[in-house]
Amino acid sequence: SPPPPSPPPPSPPPPSPPPATASVGATYALSGYTEVTFAAAERASFVAALAKLLVLSPTACRVTQVINQHATGRRSLTQVVGVDVEFVVDVLNVAVATSVGVQLNAFGSASSAVLVTELQSLGLTGVTGVTLIKGAATNAPPPPSPPPPGPPPPSPPPPSPPPPSPPPATASVGATYALSGYTEVTFAAAERASFVAA
Protein backbone atom coordinates (compact mmCIF):
# COMPACT_ATOMS: atom_id res chain seq x y z
CA SER A 1 0.00 0.00 0.00
CA PRO A 2 1.28 3.53 -0.66
CA PRO A 3 2.77 5.38 2.35
CA PRO A 4 0.47 7.90 4.07
CA PRO A 5 0.84 11.46 2.75
CA SER A 6 3.21 13.69 4.72
CA PRO A 7 1.50 16.25 6.96
CA PRO A 8 1.62 19.80 5.59
CA PRO A 9 4.50 21.90 6.93
CA PRO A 10 3.57 24.19 9.84
CA SER A 11 2.66 27.72 8.80
CA PRO A 12 5.35 30.30 9.57
CA PRO A 13 4.74 32.47 12.64
CA PRO A 14 3.34 35.95 11.97
CA PRO A 15 6.02 38.60 11.52
CA SER A 16 7.05 40.36 14.70
CA PRO A 17 5.94 43.98 15.02
CA PRO A 18 8.70 46.52 14.53
CA PRO A 19 10.50 47.38 17.77
CA ALA A 20 9.30 50.37 19.78
CA THR A 21 11.57 53.36 19.56
CA ALA A 22 9.71 55.74 21.89
CA SER A 23 7.47 55.59 24.94
CA VAL A 24 4.90 57.71 26.76
CA GLY A 25 4.67 57.88 30.54
CA ALA A 26 1.84 59.27 32.66
CA THR A 27 0.29 58.89 36.13
CA TYR A 28 -3.38 58.41 36.98
CA ALA A 29 -4.98 58.61 40.39
CA LEU A 30 -7.46 55.75 40.76
CA SER A 31 -10.05 56.11 43.47
CA GLY A 32 -11.25 52.99 45.26
CA TYR A 33 -7.99 50.99 45.55
CA THR A 34 -4.88 50.82 47.74
CA GLU A 35 -1.37 49.49 47.11
CA VAL A 36 -2.49 46.22 48.67
CA THR A 37 -5.72 45.78 46.73
CA PHE A 38 -4.23 46.99 43.43
CA ALA A 39 -2.17 43.82 43.00
CA ALA A 40 -0.93 41.87 39.97
CA ALA A 41 -4.39 40.94 38.65
CA GLU A 42 -5.61 44.52 38.96
CA ARG A 43 -2.53 45.84 37.22
CA ALA A 44 -3.10 43.39 34.37
CA SER A 45 -6.70 44.59 34.02
CA PHE A 46 -5.54 48.22 34.06
CA VAL A 47 -3.02 47.49 31.29
CA ALA A 48 -5.62 45.59 29.25
CA ALA A 49 -8.09 48.48 29.49
CA LEU A 50 -5.49 51.01 28.38
CA ALA A 51 -4.34 48.82 25.49
CA LYS A 52 -7.92 48.32 24.31
CA LEU A 53 -8.72 52.03 24.33
CA LEU A 54 -5.42 52.90 22.64
CA VAL A 55 -5.78 50.02 20.14
CA LEU A 56 -2.37 48.67 21.13
CA SER A 57 -1.02 45.30 22.23
CA PRO A 58 -1.23 44.78 26.02
CA THR A 59 2.50 44.02 25.94
CA ALA A 60 3.09 47.67 24.97
CA CYS A 61 1.75 48.91 28.32
CA ARG A 62 3.25 48.35 31.75
CA VAL A 63 2.66 49.68 35.26
CA THR A 64 5.91 50.97 36.77
CA GLN A 65 4.77 52.14 40.23
CA VAL A 66 1.71 52.17 42.48
CA ILE A 67 1.64 54.55 45.47
CA ASN A 68 -1.10 55.05 48.06
CA GLN A 69 -2.96 58.33 47.85
CA HIS A 70 -3.97 59.68 51.24
CA ALA A 71 -6.87 61.94 52.10
CA THR A 72 -6.00 65.55 52.86
CA GLY A 73 -6.43 67.05 56.31
CA ARG A 74 -4.67 66.41 59.60
CA ARG A 75 -7.10 63.79 60.81
CA SER A 76 -7.11 61.89 57.53
CA LEU A 77 -3.40 61.39 56.87
CA THR A 78 -3.66 57.64 57.38
CA GLN A 79 -6.82 57.23 55.31
CA VAL A 80 -6.05 55.82 51.85
CA VAL A 81 -8.52 57.07 49.25
CA GLY A 82 -6.88 55.68 46.13
CA VAL A 83 -3.61 54.94 44.37
CA ASP A 84 -1.38 56.84 41.99
CA VAL A 85 -0.64 54.47 39.13
CA GLU A 86 2.46 55.35 37.13
CA PHE A 87 2.67 53.59 33.78
CA VAL A 88 4.51 53.57 30.44
CA VAL A 89 3.27 52.82 26.93
CA ASP A 90 5.84 51.71 24.34
CA VAL A 91 5.11 52.93 20.81
CA LEU A 92 6.66 52.77 17.36
CA ASN A 93 8.03 56.29 17.14
CA VAL A 94 7.77 59.85 18.46
CA ALA A 95 4.87 60.71 16.15
CA VAL A 96 2.78 57.85 17.58
CA ALA A 97 3.90 58.80 21.09
CA THR A 98 2.53 62.30 20.63
CA SER A 99 -0.85 60.96 19.51
CA VAL A 100 -1.01 58.44 22.38
CA GLY A 101 -0.05 61.17 24.86
CA VAL A 102 -3.04 63.28 23.81
CA GLN A 103 -5.35 60.30 24.40
CA LEU A 104 -3.80 59.50 27.79
CA ASN A 105 -4.29 63.08 28.95
CA ALA A 106 -7.91 62.95 27.81
CA PHE A 107 -8.59 59.63 29.62
CA GLY A 108 -7.42 61.31 32.83
CA SER A 109 -9.63 64.35 32.38
CA ALA A 110 -12.45 64.99 29.89
CA SER A 111 -12.80 61.33 28.85
CA SER A 112 -12.17 59.78 32.28
CA ALA A 113 -15.64 58.22 32.29
CA VAL A 114 -14.69 56.18 29.22
CA LEU A 115 -11.63 54.78 31.02
CA VAL A 116 -13.56 54.13 34.25
CA THR A 117 -16.18 52.16 32.30
CA GLU A 118 -13.51 50.12 30.53
CA LEU A 119 -11.66 49.41 33.81
CA GLN A 120 -14.86 48.25 35.48
CA SER A 121 -15.74 46.01 32.53
CA LEU A 122 -12.35 44.32 32.85
CA GLY A 123 -12.76 43.53 36.54
CA LEU A 124 -11.70 46.72 38.36
CA THR A 125 -15.17 47.15 39.80
CA GLY A 126 -13.89 49.19 42.75
CA VAL A 127 -12.75 52.11 40.58
CA THR A 128 -14.88 55.18 41.19
CA GLY A 129 -12.82 57.77 39.34
CA VAL A 130 -9.66 58.47 37.37
CA THR A 131 -7.71 61.72 37.57
CA LEU A 132 -4.62 62.73 35.64
CA ILE A 133 -1.86 63.41 38.18
CA LYS A 134 1.11 63.65 35.82
CA GLY A 135 0.51 64.47 32.17
CA ALA A 136 1.84 62.34 29.36
CA ALA A 137 5.54 62.79 28.65
CA THR A 138 7.26 61.34 25.60
CA ASN A 139 10.58 59.61 26.04
CA ALA A 140 12.48 59.34 22.79
CA PRO A 141 15.76 57.44 22.53
CA PRO A 142 18.90 59.53 22.17
CA PRO A 143 20.16 59.88 18.62
CA PRO A 144 22.65 57.20 17.69
CA SER A 145 26.17 58.23 18.56
CA PRO A 146 28.51 58.69 15.63
CA PRO A 147 30.94 55.84 15.05
CA PRO A 148 34.32 56.31 16.73
CA PRO A 149 36.97 57.77 14.47
CA GLY A 150 39.13 55.18 12.80
CA PRO A 151 42.86 54.88 13.45
CA PRO A 152 44.98 57.47 11.66
CA PRO A 153 46.46 56.29 8.38
CA PRO A 154 49.95 54.83 8.75
CA SER A 155 52.82 57.19 8.08
CA PRO A 156 54.44 56.67 4.71
CA PRO A 157 57.82 54.92 4.92
CA PRO A 158 60.85 57.23 4.75
CA PRO A 159 62.24 57.62 1.24
CA SER A 160 64.98 55.18 0.35
CA PRO A 161 68.48 56.66 0.28
CA PRO A 162 69.78 57.22 -3.25
CA PRO A 163 72.05 54.45 -4.50
CA PRO A 164 75.74 55.19 -3.99
CA SER A 165 77.40 56.87 -6.90
CA PRO A 166 79.75 54.64 -8.84
CA PRO A 167 83.42 55.49 -8.32
CA PRO A 168 84.71 57.94 -10.87
CA ALA A 169 86.13 56.26 -13.92
CA THR A 170 89.90 56.54 -14.45
CA ALA A 171 90.57 58.28 -17.73
CA SER A 172 93.29 57.14 -20.10
CA VAL A 173 94.88 58.92 -23.02
CA GLY A 174 96.58 57.22 -25.91
CA ALA A 175 98.89 58.73 -28.49
CA THR A 176 101.40 57.59 -31.16
CA TYR A 177 104.83 59.05 -31.81
CA ALA A 178 107.10 58.38 -34.77
CA LEU A 179 110.71 58.04 -33.62
CA SER A 180 113.42 58.20 -36.24
CA GLY A 181 116.61 56.21 -35.78
CA TYR A 182 115.08 53.02 -34.28
CA THR A 183 113.54 49.84 -35.52
CA GLU A 184 111.26 47.36 -33.68
CA VAL A 185 114.36 45.31 -32.92
CA THR A 186 116.53 48.12 -31.62
CA PHE A 187 113.68 49.77 -29.68
CA ALA A 188 113.69 46.98 -27.10
CA ALA A 189 112.72 46.90 -23.40
CA ALA A 190 115.44 49.23 -22.13
CA GLU A 191 114.69 51.82 -24.77
CA ARG A 192 110.94 51.62 -24.00
CA ALA A 193 111.58 52.18 -20.28
CA SER A 194 113.65 55.24 -21.07
CA PHE A 195 110.90 56.56 -23.33
CA VAL A 196 108.25 56.14 -20.61
CA ALA A 197 110.43 57.73 -17.96
CA ALA A 198 110.91 60.73 -20.23
Side-chain angles (χ1 to χ4, degrees):
S1 60
S6 301
S11 56
S16 301
T21 61
S23 61
V24 187
T27 304
Y28 288 157
L30 267 63
S31 302
Y33 282 89
T34 67
E35 290 178 16
V36 175
T37 58
F38 198 78
E42 287 72 23
R43 294 185 185 204
S45 297
F46 175 85
V47 164
L50 272 184
K52 184 176 179 182
L53 291 174
L54 296 172
V55 195
L56 293 172
S57 166
T59 58
C61 310
R62 61 186 186 278
V63 174
T64 56
Q65 193 172 30
V66 177
I67 303 174
N68 278 337
Q69 186 183 49
H70 296 88
T72 57
R74 292 182 179 179
R75 296 181 181 180
S76 306
L77 289 178
T78 58
Q79 181 184 354
V80 178
V81 294
V83 285
D84 290 344
V85 180
E86 183 177 312
F87 60 93
V88 173
V89 180
D90 296 320
V91 292
L92 183 60
N93 52 43
V94 174
V96 177
T98 302
S99 173
V100 168
V102 171
Q103 296 178 74
L104 292 178
N105 288 340
F107 291 144
S109 52
S111 302
S112 62
V114 175
L115 179 56
V116 169
T117 300
E118 193 63 42
L119 291 170
Q120 291 174 344
S121 70
L122 290 175
L124 295 177
T125 54
V127 173
T128 57
V130 175
T131 307
L132 184 70
I133 296 296
K134 182 181 177 183
T138 298
N139 299 307
S145 56
S155 301
S160 303
S165 302
T170 303
S172 62
V173 180
T176 303
Y177 289 127
L179 284 122
S180 303
Y182 284 92
T183 67
E184 289 183 15
V185 175
T186 58
F187 196 77
E191 286 73 18
R192 294 185 186 193
S194 299
F195 175 83
V196 170

